[in-house]
Amino acid sequence: MARRRALLAAAAALPALPLLPRPARAEAWKPQRPVTLLVPFAGGSGTDAVARILAELLGPTLEVPVVVENRAGANGTIAAMAAARAAPDGHTLFMTTNTSHSANPSLMKRIDYDPVADFTPIARMGNLPFMLVVGEAVPARSVEELLALARRQPGRLSYASGNSTGIVAGATMARMGGVEMLHVPYRSTPPAMTDVMAGRVTCMFVDLAAGLPHVQAGKLRALAMSTKERSALMPDMPSMAEAGLAGFDITSWNGVFGPAGLPAPVVQTLNAAIRRAVERPEVQKRFAALGFEAFSGPPETLDAFVRAELVKWRELIEAAGIEKE
């Protein structure tokens, strides 16, 4: 007991040690005004449809309106430059595709933005599978018949495009099929589809989200999916590989970005909000009904994906023999 009393007395005589500070917790970010979601394509495109659903879902979570702003033109570069030059405060976001962030550096002689250095990756959104469609006046009912028709009329058949996926897929089909077809570019998908339906252009590759309603209405005829395997969204439609073009595998992807230098709390808040929205089963069904394969992941996954896709699309474009414009 005497020894215990001595130890307690000695401990009481020691100076009080300062408490160690707790690790700082990152403060959750909250937007201070409406958030603008820039889209590089016109209303009626697949990306526009996906963006509008996402904006509707994010608004209540962020507690401010999320407004979709379409800035179509120049193969997505107009919207991309606007997003890159925006203030890095979380109030301007960019939902884009492989057009601006994978293909443009290999399709265009000059772009005034860097897909990696000028943007902060926030979250993947999913994939937009494409399908090959023709107008009802075109007699072909399969890829084989379309290519046979093109061989009988060299240079007379044409393919429209409203984005880089349409450009590369059309050129790849012509090269792999050994046919000569005229490329007719458009500012966006809706006017391209209008001319295919009217018979002014023979065919085009279009995303399911934009083209499926017209196929279901009988205004367009779908021949094949642009992917290597059949799509779960259209299990009865053959792939281009099944249709005779082995190795044909081209699809579009969607992701959300901010300007370079976006603070980590902003990225974390937006990534969490997007993932919560996208991963809900009822939301996945809603996207699937549009023809969109929705999924997400952390920002680091999108960053690595963009870097890999730049290489993949450069190889696709070089293999298709497309020269920079």
Side-chain angles (χ1 to χ4, degrees):
M1 287 294 296
R3 183 179 178 185
R4 183 179 177 186
R5 283 195 293 269
L7 288 173
L8 289 172
L14 291 174
L17 295 175
L19 293 174
L20 293 176
R22 293 183 178 180
R25 178 183 294 179
E27 291 186 13
W29 172 76
K30 285 187 177 296
Q32 302 303 306
R33 59 182 185 276
V35 172
T36 298
L37 182 59
L38 292 173
V39 174
F41 307 117
S45 64
T47 301
D48 173 74
V50 172
R52 291 185 184 279
I53 292 177
L54 180 63
E56 174 193 326
L57 296 170
L58 286 184
T61 302
L62 298 178
E63 299 179 356
V64 296
V66 178
V67 182
V68 174
E69 184 176 323
N70 300 90
R71 294 204 189 180
N75 220 30
T77 61
I78 294 174
M81 287 188 290
R85 294 170 181 171
D89 58 9
H91 293 91
T92 301
L93 307 179
F94 185 35
M95 174 182 281
T96 192
T97 71
N98 48 286
T99 288
S100 67
H101 273 55
S102 302
N104 276 353
S106 297
L107 286 175
M108 308 178 76
K109 290 182 179 178
R110 175 183 171 181
I111 57 173
D112 293 325
Y113 65 90
D114 185 306
V116 174
D118 291 340
F119 297 89
T120 300
I122 295 174
R124 283 284 300 275
M125 278 294 297
N127 289 334
L128 272 171
F130 272 54
M131 57 183 171
L132 174 62
V133 297
V134 297
E136 279 299 287
V138 177
R141 295 188 173 274
S142 67
V143 175
E144 183 180 4
E145 290 181 6
L146 179 64
L147 294 176
L149 190 63
R151 293 187 188 102
R152 291 195 298 271
Q153 305 176 57
R156 295 288 301 277
L157 271 61
S158 55
Y159 65 92
S161 69
N163 49 51
S164 66
T165 304
I167 296 170
V168 177
T172 301
M173 177 180 67
R175 179 187 64 82
M176 294 181 70
V179 298
E180 182 183 347
M181 298 181 74
L182 175 67
H183 174 217
V184 185
Y186 290 80
R187 259 176 80 92
S188 62
T189 295
M193 282 194 301
T194 296
D195 279 1
V196 173
M197 288 186 283
R200 290 185 283 270
V201 185
T202 309
C203 64
M204 71 179 292
F205 283 88
V206 62
D207 57 89
L208 290 180
L212 194 55
H214 300 291
V215 171
Q216 294 169 336
K219 296 178 181 179
L220 291 172
R221 184 185 311 121
L223 303 184
M225 298 297 296
S226 68
T227 46
K228 183 179 179 180
E229 308 289 344
R230 292 196 180 203
S231 170
L233 298 175
M234 297 287 285
D236 295 330
M237 190 183 299
S239 67
M240 290 291 286
E242 284 183 86
L245 300 184
F248 195 108
D249 187 16
I250 297 174
T251 195
S252 176
W253 56 266
N254 277 42
V256 179
F257 299 80
L262 205 59
V266 178
V267 176
Q268 292 164 4
T269 298
L270 292 170
N271 177 270
I274 291 170
R275 291 176 71 177
R276 278 198 301 270
V278 169
E279 292 167 5
R280 285 159 50 188
E282 66 273 20
V283 173
Q284 297 234 336
K285 290 180 181 178
R286 190 174 173 188
F287 279 128
L290 276 179
F292 182 68
E293 297 173 345
F295 56 86
S296 193
E300 297 79 15
T301 300
L302 179 56
D303 180 54
F305 178 77
V306 168
R307 294 172 189 270
E309 286 289 290
L310 281 167
V311 176
K312 172 185 172 180
W313 280 82
R314 185 186 71 233
E315 293 173 349
L316 282 170
I317 290 163
E318 290 175 351
I322 302 173
E323 295 185 2
K324 287 187 177 184
E325 295 182 356

